[in-house]
Amino acid sequence: MNTESNGGPGTAEGGAGSGEQPLGSRAPHFIKRSRPLHLSWQVGVFVVGLAVVVAGVIMLPLPGPGWLVIFAGMAIWATEFVWAQLVLRWTKRKVTEAAQKALDPKVRRRNIILTVIGVVIIAALLAVYVWKFGFAMPWNVGE
């Protein structure tokens, strides 16, 4: 579990000079003063975050914003645990890099070309199917 000594401004990643918030617990000061109360707070944050993450994992195969809910659970954990803060920072950095790469004109042009080729192939396959079988559904073709 985190204590107040974990993840202060002296940690390797995320000191005050990096422009990001320092790592560590964001619990109110009166909670951090009492060790049993702080431990109870951390258990509560962990349980709530776990429930949200589990709900997100359940939503992955079902309809719903699974990844969004998982990241919300990670954000809940990040209010208290350094490991979750580091995971979220890494994720934000990777998403930002991917967004910048996707906006590169060469990459955009390549993605548009690949999408057009894919749509043309699907349209051609659909046209061949309709030409050969008509508008019959695949499970009704033999009848």
Side-chain angles (χ1 to χ4, degrees), residues 1 6 14 19 30 37-39 41 43 46-47 51 53 61 72 80 86 88-89 98-99 110 121 125-126 143:
M1 295 281 173
N6 286 353
F30 73 92
L37 188 57
H38 192 222
L39 191 58
W41 178 269
V43 169
F46 183 79
V47 169
V53 168
E80 198 57 37
L86 293 175
L88 279 180
R89 284 184 184 181
R110 182 200 66 202
I121 290 171
L125 290 173
L126 189 61
E143 294 176 4

Side-chain angles (χ1 to χ4, degrees), residues 88-100:
L88 279 180
R89 284 184 184 181
W90 179 83
T91 304
K92 286 178 186 176
R93 191 169 46 249
K94 292 298 178 182
V95 167
T96 302
E97 289 172 9
Q100 289 174 346

Side-chain angles (χ1 to χ4, degrees), residues 1-3 5-8 11 13 22-26 42 77-89:
M1 295 281 173
N2 279 355
T3 61
S5 63
N6 286 353
T11 56
E13 234 185 276
L23 299 174
S25 175
R26 291 181 179 78
Q42 287 180 324
W77 279 339
T79 64
E80 198 57 37
F81 302 107
V82 173
W83 60 267
Q85 293 168 3
L86 293 175
V87 168
L88 279 180
R89 284 184 184 181

Side-chain angles (χ1 to χ4, degrees), residues 2-142:
N2 279 355
T3 61
E4 290 179 73
S5 63
N6 286 353
T11 56
E13 234 185 276
S18 68
E20 297 175 340
Q21 288 186 340
L23 299 174
S25 175
R26 291 181 179 78
H29 184 64
F30 73 92
I31 289 177
K32 287 196 269 187
R33 271 189 291 170
S34 169
R35 176 89 175 126
L37 188 57
H38 192 222
L39 191 58
S40 300
W41 178 269
Q42 287 180 324
V43 169
V45 167
F46 183 79
V47 169
V48 170
L50 183 65
V52 173
V53 168
V54 167
V57 169
I58 290 171
M59 285 184 204
L60 286 176
L62 300 175
W67 285 110
L68 186 66
V69 174
I70 290 172
F71 288 127
M74 288 297 295
I76 291 170
W77 279 339
T79 64
E80 198 57 37
F81 302 107
V82 173
W83 60 267
Q85 293 168 3
L86 293 175
V87 168
L88 279 180
R89 284 184 184 181
W90 179 83
T91 304
K92 286 178 186 176
R93 191 169 46 249
K94 292 298 178 182
V95 167
T96 302
E97 289 172 9
Q100 289 174 346
K101 188 181 277 189
L103 293 176
D104 179 29
K106 290 180 183 177
V107 174
R108 265 181 94 183
R109 189 173 20 253
R110 182 200 66 202
N111 289 345
I112 290 171
I113 290 170
L114 289 174
T115 301
V116 167
I117 290 171
V119 168
V120 167
I121 290 171
I122 290 172
L125 290 173
L126 189 61
V128 167
Y129 177 84
V130 169
W131 174 68
K132 187 167 184 164
F133 300 108
F135 285 106
M137 291 293 143
W139 50 86
N140 294 335
V141 168

